[in-house]
Amino acid sequence: MDHNNPIVYDAFGQAYELIIGHNQPSNHSLVACVIGNHELALQFIAGLGLADHQWRRLLNGLETSNPHQSVLARAASLFSNGLIRFFKLPNLIDATPIPVDQGKALVFSAQGTQARSISGAENIAIKKRTDAEKYVGVLSQEQLEQALRDTGLDISHPQNTTPRDPTHTQEMLVKALVSGDASVWRIDHRPHAPSNKSGVADVSTAAEIPGNREVPLGPEPTTSATVYKREHTDGATRDPYTLQTDGKPLGAKEGVMPAECFGLDELPDRHAQLVAEGFPDLNFEYQPGQFASDYKNFSTAEPVVLSPGTKIYRIVDEKAALAGSYWALALPAGKAEWRSNYAVKDSWNDNGYFTEYTIPEGEGLKVWKGRTAGQEYLQHNNNEFYLEGGDEQLFLMRDSISPLPKKHTKWEDAKL
């Protein structure tokens, strides 16, 4: 195993050990990232933020002889073909916070865990056994079991089995902290806003939401402690929502969605030719044999070039992609209007913030523009709801722009 493999970071602070050629990762338990699709591999490589000269140094001996192939494209080709590999290093954001004080929590992690993705994380120094016992002694048995999972010390003890003896569990964790095989951190911890029928705040965890790691978020605003991202507990498990006081999801209408709200059945005319000319692909292949079908989110769609100086806007929550694909030429007046007119389901994006981007000087920005198609919620308990859509939206190639850091929308209904 090679402990001198280079470490690279994505925009979220997630660290990866870069393995070139026949080198081996420093730890056999690390999980390799496998992306066989060249376009997705290129997005991953671009997200690492390394300059061309840095890639040239890393790929010494593996450079391309093709003068028309960029350094990033070469790295993506090597990655998608398995000639270079990336192994995800443990990240503090994957662990579960254990609340200890108002606004604070402890997080236990394995040796070498990266903490760049959690702002203000404090690594607590453990110099002797009594230091470790101070933090381990306050944990319940359930919390001890969670700490062992987060530190990787429970490999031989599957979940959902009989709990270990508490004294033995404490001793395992204490020894690991003293030896340096595990670490304990103090982080800021704020519960989610109430989202269930009982009105009790949901417990926040540091677990990431799958599918939301494509692009970096801007710095967190400091004017509010509100957390907008929430768990929606009503509706079907695969398509949840939160019922409002009127008995419907926010912005939704009850009944069967009218035919005029449905999206396109096929790609717009000349789509392939326009994509070749630089317009975004409304049906890109994100996995072998799997296509995005973004055209179905439009009732009408036309290719346009946004002129320099044009300002566009996007609504996001704490986890939504800042430089994602869907934008608008104006900010909605409130959350209910945004949900309804842009057909944004509860589970997709919880609002709270917006970002903006001004088209720079040059040739403009090629996008698709058209009327937003409606979205149906899955039928649940004989209830049918839909979001009507209808406002004009824009579709950009994901990660193709660098928008400003997010700001609070300050919508009065943002917390609904």
Side-chain angles (χ1 to χ4, degrees):
M1 294 183 290
D2 191 342
H3 293 270
N4 296 314
N5 294 319
I7 306 299
V8 295
Y9 296 85
D10 67 14
F12 291 88
Q14 173 61 55
Y16 299 88
E17 191 170 335
L18 172 58
I19 310 299
I20 299 176
H22 297 292
N23 291 346
Q24 296 298 315
S26 60
N27 189 323
H28 63 81
S29 66
L30 296 179
V31 177
C33 298
V34 179
I35 300 179
N37 177 276
H38 179 76
E39 181 179 348
L40 296 181
L42 183 58
Q43 289 185 14
F44 178 88
I45 293 293
L48 297 176
L50 296 177
D52 285 358
H53 73 274
Q54 293 173 304
W55 277 116
R56 290 191 184 97
R57 186 171 67 248
L58 291 171
L59 300 178
N60 183 30
L62 294 174
E63 301 95 331
T64 178
S65 59
N66 181 355
H68 299 291
Q69 185 178 45
S70 70
V71 178
L72 291 185
R74 176 57 175 168
S77 178
L78 293 170
F79 178 32
S80 61
N81 287 289
L83 298 177
I84 64 174
R85 295 167 293 159
F86 294 89
F87 286 79
K88 182 179 179 181
L89 294 174
N91 195 318
L92 204 61
I93 202 170
D94 295 320
T96 301
I98 298 173
V100 288
D101 297 311
Q102 184 67 32
K104 295 290 182 180
L106 295 179
V107 175
F108 291 84
S109 67
Q111 180 186 31
T113 296
Q114 305 295 313
R116 285 175 48 160
S117 55
I118 297 187
S119 177
E122 175 194 354
N123 189 200
I124 299 172
I126 302 295
K127 298 181 179 179
K128 53 186 183 295
R129 184 180 178 87
T130 53
D131 294 336
E133 291 173 342
K134 173 183 176 182
Y135 295 100
V136 173
V138 299
L139 305 180
S140 67
Q141 179 62 22
E142 181 180 354
Q143 291 170 336
L144 281 169
E145 295 288 340
Q146 180 62 57
L148 290 191
R149 287 193 289 273
D150 290 337
T151 55
L153 297 174
D154 69 335
I155 297 175
S156 62
H157 189 80
Q159 295 186 42
N160 302 321
T161 59
T162 303
R164 283 172 281 237
D165 174 70
T167 303
H168 175 62
T169 308
Q170 287 182 338
E171 183 63 18
M172 287 179 63
L173 189 54
V174 167
K175 285 184 176 180
L177 290 171
V178 174
S179 67
D181 290 334
S183 300
V184 59
W185 306 74
R186 184 182 289 107
I187 65 171
D188 291 331
H189 176 71
R190 294 173 293 189
H192 285 299
S195 64
N196 51 39
K197 295 178 180 178
S198 69
V200 178
D202 298 321
V203 176
S204 171
T205 72
E208 294 174 273
I209 297 175
N212 286 324
R213 289 189 53 81
E214 294 87 353
V215 296
L217 293 178
E220 287 285 341
T222 58
T223 55
S224 171
T226 302
V227 175
Y228 294 93
K229 192 67 187 174
R230 66 178 65 182
E231 178 185 358
H232 297 281
T233 57
D234 301 313
T237 302
R238 291 191 295 112
D239 194 19
Y241 46 73
T242 294
L243 293 174
Q244 303 297 312
T245 55
D246 62 357
K248 297 179 289 187
L250 188 67
K253 294 187 176 182
E254 191 168 6
V256 178
M257 188 168 75
E260 60 267 22
C261 296
F262 282 90
L264 299 173
D265 292 327
E266 57 186 21
L267 288 164
D269 291 341
R270 301 174 52 245
H271 177 265
Q273 178 183 339
L274 290 164
V275 170
E277 294 173 1
F279 284 89
D281 190 342
L282 287 169
N283 196 35
F284 73 92
E285 188 175 14
Y286 61 91
Q287 288 182 5
Q290 301 291 317
F291 296 88
S293 301
D294 285 292
Y295 63 92
K296 295 181 180 180
N297 295 329
F298 285 84
S299 295
T300 63
E302 62 173 331
V304 300
V305 179
L306 300 181
S307 303
T310 303
K311 186 174 289 189
I312 59 176
Y313 303 89
R314 174 172 166 81
I315 303 300
V316 296
D317 58 23
E318 284 82 3
K319 290 287 185 178
L322 196 65
S325 293
Y326 289 91
W327 292 73
L329 289 168
L331 276 175
K335 183 179 179 181
E337 176 184 307
W338 167 67
R339 283 242 182 269
S340 174
N341 296 356
Y342 291 93
V344 183
K345 291 186 176 183
D346 278 6
S347 62
W348 292 352
N349 187 339
D350 275 309
N351 98 120
Y353 312 97
F354 73 95
T355 182
E356 60 187 81
Y357 178 75
T358 301
I359 312 304
E361 292 299 322
E363 299 179 352
L365 182 65
K366 294 179 178 179
V367 305
W368 290 93
K369 183 177 74 170
R371 190 170 69 249
T372 303
Q375 297 288 344
E376 296 176 289
Y377 281 111
L378 289 178
Q379 185 173 350
H380 181 68
N381 290 340
N382 295 320
N383 293 321
E384 290 188 70
F385 302 108
Y386 68 93
L387 298 165
E388 190 171 26
D391 272 10
E392 191 173 76
Q393 66 180 354
L394 306 173
F395 182 84
L396 288 60
M397 182 63 71
R398 179 179 292 170
D399 296 347
S400 62
I401 61 174
S402 299
L404 294 175
K406 61 184 180 180
K407 304 175 185 177
H408 281 283
T409 61
K410 299 183 180 179
W411 288 340
E412 292 184 1
D413 57 353
K415 298 179 184 178
L416 294 178

